[in-house]
Amino acid sequence: MTSPRIFLWRPEVAPQPWTYPLRRLAATSLHSTSQALASLAQSLAVPPAPPTHRIPAVLEFYADASAPEGALYLDGQLVGYLPGVRRL
């Protein structure tokens, strides 16, 4: 019988290139600059306009002598005529 052999395996670590510290420095400075610009943009941003409350539409009907017969208005704008209608 043979004796068991123990194999030690270690992943091979590639050597870091000489530009590694420069790239880390550039990445760190770009990240912090990005965060600073994002916070500046948040502080300068225009707040959203508050929601406006819409007034309900007003429907008007005129059948007077001073107005065209059967005129129908919505919010002051002429919508149409109701021919033959004298009262609503």
Side-chain angles (χ1 to χ4, degrees):
M1 204 153 149
T2 61
S3 64
R5 293 185 185 175
I6 299 174
F7 292 102
L8 297 175
W9 180 82
R10 281 186 238 134
E12 192 171 321
V13 178
Q16 295 175 348
W18 66 273
T19 57
Y20 181 76
L22 296 175
R23 290 189 313 192
R24 287 290 288 180
L25 178 65
T28 304
S29 64
L30 285 174
H31 182 70
S32 56
T33 303
S34 172
Q35 285 182 332
L37 287 175
S39 66
L40 178 64
Q42 281 289 356
S43 66
L44 294 178
V46 177
T52 58
H53 299 290
R54 187 168 170 88
I55 300 171
V58 176
L59 185 64
E60 303 172 43
F61 174 75
Y62 288 104
D64 297 337
S66 63
E69 196 65 32
L72 191 61
Y73 292 89
L74 181 66
D75 289 333
Q77 298 288 327
L78 179 64
V79 176
Y81 298 98
L82 301 174
V85 177
R86 300 217 183 261
R87 278 176 68 172
L88 285 181

